[in-house]
PDB file of all heavy atoms in Angstrom:
ATOM      1  N   ALA A   1       0.844  -1.201   0.000  1.00  0.00           N
ATOM      2  CA  ALA A   1       0.000   0.000   0.000  1.00  0.00           C
ATOM      3  C   ALA A   1       0.878   1.250   0.000  1.00  0.00           C
ATOM      4  O   ALA A   1       1.965   1.251   0.581  1.00  0.00           O
ATOM      5  CB  ALA A   1      -0.892  -0.001   1.228  1.00  0.00           C
ATOM      6  N   PRO A   2       0.414   2.313  -0.642  1.00  0.00           N
ATOM      7  CA  PRO A   2       1.151   3.579  -0.589  1.00  0.00           C
ATOM      8  C   PRO A   2       1.297   4.051   0.859  1.00  0.00           C
ATOM      9  O   PRO A   2       0.400   3.838   1.681  1.00  0.00           O
ATOM     10  CB  PRO A   2       0.278   4.545  -1.384  1.00  0.00           C
ATOM     11  CG  PRO A   2      -0.690   3.698  -2.130  1.00  0.00           C
ATOM     12  CD  PRO A   2      -0.812   2.404  -1.391  1.00  0.00           C
ATOM     13  N   LEU A   3       2.429   4.664   1.164  1.00  0.00           N
ATOM     14  CA  LEU A   3       2.724   5.083   2.529  1.00  0.00           C
ATOM     15  C   LEU A   3       1.638   5.977   3.110  1.00  0.00           C
ATOM     16  O   LEU A   3       1.270   5.825   4.270  1.00  0.00           O
ATOM     17  CB  LEU A   3       4.082   5.783   2.592  1.00  0.00           C
ATOM     18  CG  LEU A   3       4.571   6.152   4.002  1.00  0.00           C
ATOM     19  CD1 LEU A   3       4.651   4.902   4.885  1.00  0.00           C
ATOM     20  CD2 LEU A   3       5.925   6.817   3.923  1.00  0.00           C
ATOM     21  N   ASP A   4       1.108   6.922   2.330  1.00  0.00           N
ATOM     22  CA  ASP A   4       0.077   7.807   2.865  1.00  0.00           C
ATOM     23  C   ASP A   4      -1.173   7.019   3.249  1.00  0.00           C
ATOM     24  O   ASP A   4      -1.825   7.317   4.236  1.00  0.00           O
ATOM     25  CB  ASP A   4      -0.256   8.943   1.906  1.00  0.00           C
ATOM     26  CG  ASP A   4      -0.761   8.467   0.547  1.00  0.00           C
ATOM     27  OD1 ASP A   4      -0.363   7.377   0.093  1.00  0.00           O
ATOM     28  OD2 ASP A   4      -1.567   9.205  -0.050  1.00  0.00           O
ATOM     29  N   LEU A   5      -1.514   5.965   2.498  1.00  0.00           N
ATOM     30  CA  LEU A   5      -2.656   5.122   2.845  1.00  0.00           C
ATOM     31  C   LEU A   5      -2.383   4.377   4.146  1.00  0.00           C
ATOM     32  O   LEU A   5      -3.251   4.295   5.017  1.00  0.00           O
ATOM     33  CB  LEU A   5      -2.975   4.145   1.721  1.00  0.00           C
ATOM     34  CG  LEU A   5      -4.116   3.162   2.012  1.00  0.00           C
ATOM     35  CD1 LEU A   5      -5.425   3.920   2.256  1.00  0.00           C
ATOM     36  CD2 LEU A   5      -4.257   2.160   0.880  1.00  0.00           C
ATOM     37  N   VAL A   6      -1.178   3.849   4.287  1.00  0.00           N
ATOM     38  CA  VAL A   6      -0.807   3.144   5.521  1.00  0.00           C
ATOM     39  C   VAL A   6      -0.947   4.078   6.725  1.00  0.00           C
ATOM     40  O   VAL A   6      -1.507   3.700   7.755  1.00  0.00           O
ATOM     41  CB  VAL A   6       0.625   2.574   5.424  1.00  0.00           C
ATOM     42  CG1 VAL A   6       1.092   2.033   6.768  1.00  0.00           C
ATOM     43  CG2 VAL A   6       0.693   1.490   4.350  1.00  0.00           C
ATOM     44  N   GLN A   7      -0.458   5.300   6.609  1.00  0.00           N
ATOM     45  CA  GLN A   7      -0.564   6.261   7.713  1.00  0.00           C
ATOM     46  C   GLN A   7      -2.018   6.589   8.028  1.00  0.00           C
ATOM     47  O   GLN A   7      -2.397   6.718   9.192  1.00  0.00           O
ATOM     48  CB  GLN A   7       0.225   7.539   7.395  1.00  0.00           C
ATOM     49  CG  GLN A   7       1.726   7.325   7.316  1.00  0.00           C
ATOM     50  CD  GLN A   7       2.310   6.669   8.561  1.00  0.00           C
ATOM     51  OE1 GLN A   7       1.922   6.949   9.674  1.00  0.00           O
ATOM     52  NE2 GLN A   7       3.230   5.743   8.350  1.00  0.00           N
ATOM     53  N   GLN A   8      -2.838   6.736   7.002  1.00  0.00           N
ATOM     54  CA  GLN A   8      -4.259   7.016   7.215  1.00  0.00           C
ATOM     55  C   GLN A   8      -4.961   5.843   7.890  1.00  0.00           C
ATOM     56  O   GLN A   8      -5.804   6.039   8.768  1.00  0.00           O
ATOM     57  CB  GLN A   8      -4.949   7.351   5.890  1.00  0.00           C
ATOM     58  CG  GLN A   8      -4.534   8.684   5.324  1.00  0.00           C
ATOM     59  CD  GLN A   8      -5.107   8.910   3.938  1.00  0.00           C
ATOM     60  OE1 GLN A   8      -5.341   7.970   3.183  1.00  0.00           O
ATOM     61  NE2 GLN A   8      -5.339  10.172   3.608  1.00  0.00           N
ATOM     62  N   VAL A   9      -4.609   4.633   7.498  1.00  0.00           N
ATOM     63  CA  VAL A   9      -5.200   3.446   8.124  1.00  0.00           C
ATOM     64  C   VAL A   9      -4.788   3.364   9.587  1.00  0.00           C
ATOM     65  O   VAL A   9      -5.611   3.094  10.464  1.00  0.00           O
ATOM     66  CB  VAL A   9      -4.826   2.166   7.345  1.00  0.00           C
ATOM     67  CG1 VAL A   9      -5.211   0.919   8.123  1.00  0.00           C
ATOM     68  CG2 VAL A   9      -5.474   2.168   5.972  1.00  0.00           C
ATOM     69  N   LYS A  10      -3.520   3.638   9.890  1.00  0.00           N
ATOM     70  CA  LYS A  10      -3.063   3.640  11.285  1.00  0.00           C
ATOM     71  C   LYS A  10      -3.837   4.675  12.097  1.00  0.00           C
ATOM     72  O   LYS A  10      -4.254   4.409  13.224  1.00  0.00           O
ATOM     73  CB  LYS A  10      -1.562   3.927  11.372  1.00  0.00           C
ATOM     74  CG  LYS A  10      -0.698   2.758  10.978  1.00  0.00           C
ATOM     75  CD  LYS A  10       0.773   3.111  11.116  1.00  0.00           C
ATOM     76  CE  LYS A  10       1.658   1.958  10.714  1.00  0.00           C
ATOM     77  NZ  LYS A  10       3.079   2.287  10.885  1.00  0.00           N
ATOM     78  N   GLN A  11      -4.032   5.853  11.531  1.00  0.00           N
ATOM     79  CA  GLN A  11      -4.781   6.898  12.218  1.00  0.00           C
ATOM     80  C   GLN A  11      -6.223   6.452  12.467  1.00  0.00           C
ATOM     81  O   GLN A  11      -6.777   6.669  13.550  1.00  0.00           O
ATOM     82  CB  GLN A  11      -4.772   8.194  11.418  1.00  0.00           C
ATOM     83  CG  GLN A  11      -5.510   9.333  12.110  1.00  0.00           C
ATOM     84  CD  GLN A  11      -5.444  10.624  11.309  1.00  0.00           C
ATOM     85  OE1 GLN A  11      -4.766  10.711  10.292  1.00  0.00           O
ATOM     86  NE2 GLN A  11      -6.157  11.631  11.775  1.00  0.00           N
ATOM     87  N   ALA A  12      -6.829   5.828  11.492  1.00  0.00           N
ATOM     88  CA  ALA A  12      -8.203   5.340  11.655  1.00  0.00           C
ATOM     89  C   ALA A  12      -8.276   4.275  12.739  1.00  0.00           C
ATOM     90  O   ALA A  12      -9.201   4.273  13.563  1.00  0.00           O
ATOM     91  CB  ALA A  12      -8.725   4.796  10.329  1.00  0.00           C
ATOM     92  N   HIS A  13      -7.298   3.377  12.789  1.00  0.00           N
ATOM     93  CA  HIS A  13      -7.284   2.337  13.819  1.00  0.00           C
ATOM     94  C   HIS A  13      -7.147   2.930  15.223  1.00  0.00           C
ATOM     95  O   HIS A  13      -7.704   2.396  16.177  1.00  0.00           O
ATOM     96  CB  HIS A  13      -6.162   1.325  13.568  1.00  0.00           C
ATOM     97  CG  HIS A  13      -6.489   0.319  12.523  1.00  0.00           C
ATOM     98  ND1 HIS A  13      -7.461  -0.640  12.679  1.00  0.00           N
ATOM     99  CD2 HIS A  13      -5.974   0.131  11.276  1.00  0.00           C
ATOM    100  CE1 HIS A  13      -7.532  -1.390  11.596  1.00  0.00           C
ATOM    101  NE2 HIS A  13      -6.643  -0.930  10.720  1.00  0.00           N
ATOM    102  N   ARG A  14      -6.406   4.026  15.339  1.00  0.00           N
ATOM    103  CA  ARG A  14      -6.255   4.672  16.653  1.00  0.00           C
ATOM    104  C   ARG A  14      -7.585   5.182  17.185  1.00  0.00           C
ATOM    105  O   ARG A  14      -7.753   5.369  18.383  1.00  0.00           O
ATOM    106  CB  ARG A  14      -5.245   5.806  16.568  1.00  0.00           C
ATOM    107  CG  ARG A  14      -3.828   5.338  16.429  1.00  0.00           C
ATOM    108  CD  ARG A  14      -2.828   6.508  16.434  1.00  0.00           C
ATOM    109  NE  ARG A  14      -1.539   6.028  16.008  1.00  0.00           N
ATOM    110  CZ  ARG A  14      -0.984   6.293  14.819  1.00  0.00           C
ATOM    111  NH1 ARG A  14      -1.602   7.075  13.963  1.00  0.00           N
ATOM    112  NH2 ARG A  14       0.187   5.790  14.503  1.00  0.00           N
ATOM    113  N   ALA A  15      -8.543   5.400  16.312  1.00  0.00           N
ATOM    114  CA  ALA A  15      -9.865   5.877  16.734  1.00  0.00           C
ATOM    115  C   ALA A  15     -10.746   4.743  17.244  1.00  0.00           C
ATOM    116  O   ALA A  15     -11.824   4.992  17.784  1.00  0.00           O
ATOM    117  CB  ALA A  15     -10.566   6.574  15.565  1.00  0.00           C
ATOM    118  N   PHE A  16     -10.286   3.501  17.100  1.00  0.00           N
ATOM    119  CA  PHE A  16     -11.082   2.348  17.513  1.00  0.00           C
ATOM    120  C   PHE A  16     -10.507   1.759  18.799  1.00  0.00           C
ATOM    121  O   PHE A  16      -9.454   1.135  18.775  1.00  0.00           O
ATOM    122  CB  PHE A  16     -11.084   1.289  16.413  1.00  0.00           C
ATOM    123  CG  PHE A  16     -11.994   0.129  16.706  1.00  0.00           C
ATOM    124  CD1 PHE A  16     -13.366   0.278  16.662  1.00  0.00           C
ATOM    125  CD2 PHE A  16     -11.475  -1.107  17.042  1.00  0.00           C
ATOM    126  CE1 PHE A  16     -14.209  -0.778  16.926  1.00  0.00           C
ATOM    127  CE2 PHE A  16     -12.303  -2.173  17.311  1.00  0.00           C
ATOM    128  CZ  PHE A  16     -13.684  -2.009  17.257  1.00  0.00           C
ATOM    129  N   PRO A  17     -11.172   1.967  19.939  1.00  0.00           N
ATOM    130  CA  PRO A  17     -10.672   1.404  21.200  1.00  0.00           C
ATOM    131  C   PRO A  17     -10.725  -0.121  21.170  1.00  0.00           C
ATOM    132  O   PRO A  17     -11.637  -0.709  20.573  1.00  0.00           O
ATOM    133  CB  PRO A  17     -11.641   1.935  22.252  1.00  0.00           C
ATOM    134  CG  PRO A  17     -12.437   2.998  21.597  1.00  0.00           C
ATOM    135  CD  PRO A  17     -12.397   2.725  20.127  1.00  0.00           C
ATOM    136  N   SER A  18      -9.761  -0.735  21.806  1.00  0.00           N
ATOM    137  CA  SER A  18      -9.767  -2.193  21.903  1.00  0.00           C
ATOM    138  C   SER A  18      -9.228  -2.610  23.262  1.00  0.00           C
ATOM    139  O   SER A  18      -8.529  -1.854  23.931  1.00  0.00           O
ATOM    140  CB  SER A  18      -8.925  -2.822  20.792  1.00  0.00           C
ATOM    141  OG  SER A  18      -7.562  -2.530  20.982  1.00  0.00           O
ATOM    142  N   GLY A  19      -9.579  -3.810  23.639  1.00  0.00           N
ATOM    143  CA  GLY A  19      -8.988  -4.392  24.827  1.00  0.00           C
ATOM    144  C   GLY A  19      -7.553  -4.769  24.526  1.00  0.00           C
ATOM    145  O   GLY A  19      -7.113  -4.752  23.369  1.00  0.00           O
ATOM    146  N   VAL A  20      -6.815  -5.090  25.566  1.00  0.00           N
ATOM    147  CA  VAL A  20      -5.413  -5.475  25.406  1.00  0.00           C
ATOM    148  C   VAL A  20      -5.268  -6.912  25.874  1.00  0.00           C
ATOM    149  O   VAL A  20      -5.644  -7.241  27.003  1.00  0.00           O
ATOM    150  CB  VAL A  20      -4.482  -4.553  26.220  1.00  0.00           C
ATOM    151  CG1 VAL A  20      -3.023  -4.953  26.012  1.00  0.00           C
ATOM    152  CG2 VAL A  20      -4.706  -3.099  25.842  1.00  0.00           C
ATOM    153  N   THR A  21      -4.754  -7.755  25.000  1.00  0.00           N
ATOM    154  CA  THR A  21      -4.560  -9.154  25.352  1.00  0.00           C
ATOM    155  C   THR A  21      -3.089  -9.522  25.254  1.00  0.00           C
ATOM    156  O   THR A  21      -2.315  -8.888  24.541  1.00  0.00           O
ATOM    157  CB  THR A  21      -5.366 -10.090  24.428  1.00  0.00           C
ATOM    158  OG1 THR A  21      -4.917  -9.927  23.097  1.00  0.00           O
ATOM    159  CG2 THR A  21      -6.861  -9.807  24.514  1.00  0.00           C
ATOM    160  N   VAL A  22      -2.745 -10.562  25.999  1.00  0.00           N
ATOM    161  CA  VAL A  22      -1.423 -11.162  25.884  1.00  0.00           C
ATOM    162  C   VAL A  22      -1.648 -12.606  25.458  1.00  0.00           C
ATOM    163  O   VAL A  22      -2.398 -13.346  26.104  1.00  0.00           O
ATOM    164  CB  VAL A  22      -0.644 -11.089  27.212  1.00  0.00           C
ATOM    165  CG1 VAL A  22       0.616 -11.939  27.151  1.00  0.00           C
ATOM    166  CG2 VAL A  22      -0.282  -9.642  27.532  1.00  0.00           C
ATOM    167  N   VAL A  23      -1.030 -12.984  24.347  1.00  0.00           N
ATOM    168  CA  VAL A  23      -1.144 -14.338  23.815  1.00  0.00           C
ATOM    169  C   VAL A  23       0.122 -15.089  24.203  1.00  0.00           C
ATOM    170  O   VAL A  23       1.236 -14.591  24.007  1.00  0.00           O
ATOM    171  CB  VAL A  23      -1.322 -14.320  22.284  1.00  0.00           C
ATOM    172  CG1 VAL A  23      -1.379 -15.735  21.734  1.00  0.00           C
ATOM    173  CG2 VAL A  23      -2.575 -13.549  21.917  1.00  0.00           C
ATOM    174  N   THR A  24      -0.073 -16.298  24.752  1.00  0.00           N
ATOM    175  CA  THR A  24       1.052 -17.048  25.306  1.00  0.00           C
ATOM    176  C   THR A  24       1.008 -18.513  24.873  1.00  0.00           C
ATOM    177  O   THR A  24      -0.030 -19.018  24.431  1.00  0.00           O
ATOM    178  CB  THR A  24       1.015 -17.012  26.845  1.00  0.00           C
ATOM    179  OG1 THR A  24      -0.243 -17.548  27.281  1.00  0.00           O
ATOM    180  CG2 THR A  24       1.183 -15.604  27.374  1.00  0.00           C
ATOM    181  N   ALA A  25       2.143 -19.172  25.049  1.00  0.00           N
ATOM    182  CA  ALA A  25       2.245 -20.611  24.805  1.00  0.00           C
ATOM    183  C   ALA A  25       3.451 -21.127  25.575  1.00  0.00           C
ATOM    184  O   ALA A  25       4.296 -20.347  26.031  1.00  0.00           O
ATOM    185  CB  ALA A  25       2.410 -20.899  23.316  1.00  0.00           C
ATOM    186  N   GLN A  26       3.499 -22.425  25.728  1.00  0.00           N
ATOM    187  CA  GLN A  26       4.694 -23.087  26.253  1.00  0.00           C
ATOM    188  C   GLN A  26       5.469 -23.601  25.052  1.00  0.00           C
ATOM    189  O   GLN A  26       4.890 -24.223  24.160  1.00  0.00           O
ATOM    190  CB  GLN A  26       4.314 -24.273  27.141  1.00  0.00           C
ATOM    191  CG  GLN A  26       3.745 -23.887  28.478  1.00  0.00           C
ATOM    192  CD  GLN A  26       4.824 -23.546  29.511  1.00  0.00           C
ATOM    193  OE1 GLN A  26       6.024 -23.556  29.235  1.00  0.00           O
ATOM    194  NE2 GLN A  26       4.374 -23.220  30.692  1.00  0.00           N
ATOM    195  N   PHE A  27       6.765 -23.337  25.023  1.00  0.00           N
ATOM    196  CA  PHE A  27       7.594 -23.822  23.924  1.00  0.00           C
ATOM    197  C   PHE A  27       8.916 -24.301  24.497  1.00  0.00           C
ATOM    198  O   PHE A  27       9.623 -23.536  25.168  1.00  0.00           O
ATOM    199  CB  PHE A  27       7.815 -22.721  22.879  1.00  0.00           C
ATOM    200  CG  PHE A  27       8.542 -23.196  21.664  1.00  0.00           C
ATOM    201  CD1 PHE A  27       7.903 -24.001  20.732  1.00  0.00           C
ATOM    202  CD2 PHE A  27       9.865 -22.857  21.457  1.00  0.00           C
ATOM    203  CE1 PHE A  27       8.562 -24.454  19.615  1.00  0.00           C
ATOM    204  CE2 PHE A  27      10.546 -23.301  20.335  1.00  0.00           C
ATOM    205  CZ  PHE A  27       9.890 -24.104  19.408  1.00  0.00           C
ATOM    206  N   ASP A  28       9.237 -25.550  24.266  1.00  0.00           N
ATOM    207  CA  ASP A  28      10.452 -26.162  24.820  1.00  0.00           C
ATOM    208  C   ASP A  28      10.541 -25.960  26.326  1.00  0.00           C
ATOM    209  O   ASP A  28      11.608 -25.638  26.867  1.00  0.00           O
ATOM    210  CB  ASP A  28      11.706 -25.601  24.133  1.00  0.00           C
ATOM    211  CG  ASP A  28      11.898 -26.145  22.725  1.00  0.00           C
ATOM    212  OD1 ASP A  28      11.299 -27.190  22.404  1.00  0.00           O
ATOM    213  OD2 ASP A  28      12.648 -25.516  21.949  1.00  0.00           O
ATOM    214  N   GLY A  29       9.397 -26.072  27.013  1.00  0.00           N
ATOM    215  CA  GLY A  29       9.369 -25.989  28.465  1.00  0.00           C
ATOM    216  C   GLY A  29       9.451 -24.592  29.042  1.00  0.00           C
ATOM    217  O   GLY A  29       9.599 -24.419  30.248  1.00  0.00           O
ATOM    218  N   ARG A  30       9.347 -23.573  28.197  1.00  0.00           N
ATOM    219  CA  ARG A  30       9.398 -22.199  28.713  1.00  0.00           C
ATOM    220  C   ARG A  30       8.230 -21.400  28.138  1.00  0.00           C
ATOM    221  O   ARG A  30       7.798 -21.632  27.012  1.00  0.00           O
ATOM    222  CB  ARG A  30      10.729 -21.525  28.402  1.00  0.00           C
ATOM    223  CG  ARG A  30      11.021 -21.390  26.931  1.00  0.00           C
ATOM    224  CD  ARG A  30      12.358 -20.691  26.643  1.00  0.00           C
ATOM    225  NE  ARG A  30      12.583 -20.635  25.219  1.00  0.00           N
ATOM    226  CZ  ARG A  30      12.037 -19.740  24.407  1.00  0.00           C
ATOM    227  NH1 ARG A  30      11.253 -18.806  24.870  1.00  0.00           N
ATOM    228  NH2 ARG A  30      12.287 -19.768  23.109  1.00  0.00           N
ATOM    229  N   PRO A  31       7.741 -20.430  28.908  1.00  0.00           N
ATOM    230  CA  PRO A  31       6.630 -19.622  28.422  1.00  0.00           C
ATOM    231  C   PRO A  31       7.101 -18.554  27.442  1.00  0.00           C
ATOM    232  O   PRO A  31       8.180 -17.977  27.597  1.00  0.00           O
ATOM    233  CB  PRO A  31       6.079 -18.984  29.695  1.00  0.00           C
ATOM    234  CG  PRO A  31       7.258 -18.896  30.609  1.00  0.00           C
ATOM    235  CD  PRO A  31       8.121 -20.087  30.282  1.00  0.00           C
ATOM    236  N   VAL A  32       6.300 -18.317  26.420  1.00  0.00           N
ATOM    237  CA  VAL A  32       6.551 -17.250  25.452  1.00  0.00           C
ATOM    238  C   VAL A  32       5.252 -16.479  25.268  1.00  0.00           C
ATOM    239  O   VAL A  32       4.164 -17.014  25.498  1.00  0.00           O
ATOM    240  CB  VAL A  32       7.049 -17.789  24.085  1.00  0.00           C
ATOM    241  CG1 VAL A  32       8.389 -18.478  24.223  1.00  0.00           C
ATOM    242  CG2 VAL A  32       6.021 -18.718  23.464  1.00  0.00           C
ATOM    243  N   GLY A  33       5.359 -15.212  24.865  1.00  0.00           N
ATOM    244  CA  GLY A  33       4.137 -14.461  24.647  1.00  0.00           C
ATOM    245  C   GLY A  33       4.389 -13.055  24.154  1.00  0.00           C
ATOM    246  O   GLY A  33       5.519 -12.570  24.154  1.00  0.00           O
ATOM    247  N   LEU A  34       3.299 -12.404  23.727  1.00  0.00           N
ATOM    248  CA  LEU A  34       3.368 -11.037  23.248  1.00  0.00           C
ATOM    249  C   LEU A  34       2.003 -10.376  23.396  1.00  0.00           C
ATOM    250  O   LEU A  34       0.983 -11.051  23.507  1.00  0.00           O
ATOM    251  CB  LEU A  34       3.815 -10.984  21.785  1.00  0.00           C
ATOM    252  CG  LEU A  34       2.827 -11.461  20.725  1.00  0.00           C
ATOM    253  CD1 LEU A  34       3.246 -10.904  19.375  1.00  0.00           C
ATOM    254  CD2 LEU A  34       2.764 -12.963  20.668  1.00  0.00           C
ATOM    255  N   ALA A  35       2.014  -9.043  23.429  1.00  0.00           N
ATOM    256  CA  ALA A  35       0.783  -8.268  23.506  1.00  0.00           C
ATOM    257  C   ALA A  35       0.132  -8.238  22.128  1.00  0.00           C
ATOM    258  O   ALA A  35       0.815  -8.097  21.114  1.00  0.00           O
ATOM    259  CB  ALA A  35       1.071  -6.846  23.979  1.00  0.00           C
ATOM    260  N   VAL A  36      -1.197  -8.370  22.123  1.00  0.00           N
ATOM    261  CA  VAL A  36      -1.956  -8.393  20.878  1.00  0.00           C
ATOM    262  C   VAL A  36      -3.243  -7.605  21.086  1.00  0.00           C
ATOM    263  O   VAL A  36      -3.962  -7.826  22.059  1.00  0.00           O
ATOM    264  CB  VAL A  36      -2.305  -9.853  20.479  1.00  0.00           C
ATOM    265  CG1 VAL A  36      -3.250  -9.896  19.299  1.00  0.00           C
ATOM    266  CG2 VAL A  36      -1.049 -10.644  20.179  1.00  0.00           C
ATOM    267  N   SER A  37      -3.533  -6.693  20.166  1.00  0.00           N
ATOM    268  CA  SER A  37      -4.800  -5.959  20.268  1.00  0.00           C
ATOM    269  C   SER A  37      -5.865  -6.544  19.349  1.00  0.00           C
ATOM    270  O   SER A  37      -7.049  -6.289  19.528  1.00  0.00           O
ATOM    271  CB  SER A  37      -4.594  -4.470  19.963  1.00  0.00           C
ATOM    272  OG  SER A  37      -4.089  -4.310  18.667  1.00  0.00           O
ATOM    273  N   ALA A  38      -5.460  -7.338  18.353  1.00  0.00           N
ATOM    274  CA  ALA A  38      -6.418  -7.929  17.417  1.00  0.00           C
ATOM    275  C   ALA A  38      -6.897  -9.270  17.955  1.00  0.00           C
ATOM    276  O   ALA A  38      -6.310 -10.323  17.708  1.00  0.00           O
ATOM    277  CB  ALA A  38      -5.793  -8.075  16.045  1.00  0.00           C
ATOM    278  N   PHE A  39      -7.972  -9.227  18.707  1.00  0.00           N
ATOM    279  CA  PHE A  39      -8.590 -10.397  19.340  1.00  0.00           C
ATOM    280  C   PHE A  39     -10.093 -10.255  19.167  1.00  0.00           C
ATOM    281  O   PHE A  39     -10.631  -9.149  19.248  1.00  0.00           O
ATOM    282  CB  PHE A  39      -8.232 -10.418  20.831  1.00  0.00           C
ATOM    283  CG  PHE A  39      -9.139 -11.298  21.660  1.00  0.00           C
ATOM    284  CD1 PHE A  39      -8.950 -12.665  21.695  1.00  0.00           C
ATOM    285  CD2 PHE A  39     -10.173 -10.749  22.395  1.00  0.00           C
ATOM    286  CE1 PHE A  39      -9.787 -13.473  22.444  1.00  0.00           C
ATOM    287  CE2 PHE A  39     -11.014 -11.550  23.161  1.00  0.00           C
ATOM    288  CZ  PHE A  39     -10.819 -12.914  23.182  1.00  0.00           C
ATOM    289  N   SER A  40     -10.773 -11.364  18.897  1.00  0.00           N
ATOM    290  CA  SER A  40     -12.213 -11.281  18.710  1.00  0.00           C
ATOM    291  C   SER A  40     -12.881 -12.614  18.982  1.00  0.00           C
ATOM    292  O   SER A  40     -12.291 -13.678  18.766  1.00  0.00           O
ATOM    293  CB  SER A  40     -12.526 -10.856  17.276  1.00  0.00           C
ATOM    294  OG  SER A  40     -13.914 -10.753  17.065  1.00  0.00           O
TER     295      SER A  40
END
């Protein structure tokens, strides 16, 4: 996508409140995870 479109899409997404989730798993006996806002 053109850069200006990407920036406009980011701005539009900032107008949409979302919950904050952390997605996790066990891998090789240790926990891994990251923050994710796209959850539904």
Side-chain angles (χ1 to χ4, degrees):
L3 186 58
D4 59 330
L5 177 61
V6 171
Q7 294 306 321
Q8 290 173 331
V9 169
K10 285 181 181 182
Q11 182 178 354
H13 281 293
R14 288 184 193 107
F16 186 71
S18 68
V20 181
T21 62
V22 169
V23 178
T24 57
Q26 287 278 2
F27 186 73
D28 286 341
R30 61 179 178 80
V32 296
L34 71 161
V36 172
S37 60
F39 162 80
S40 181

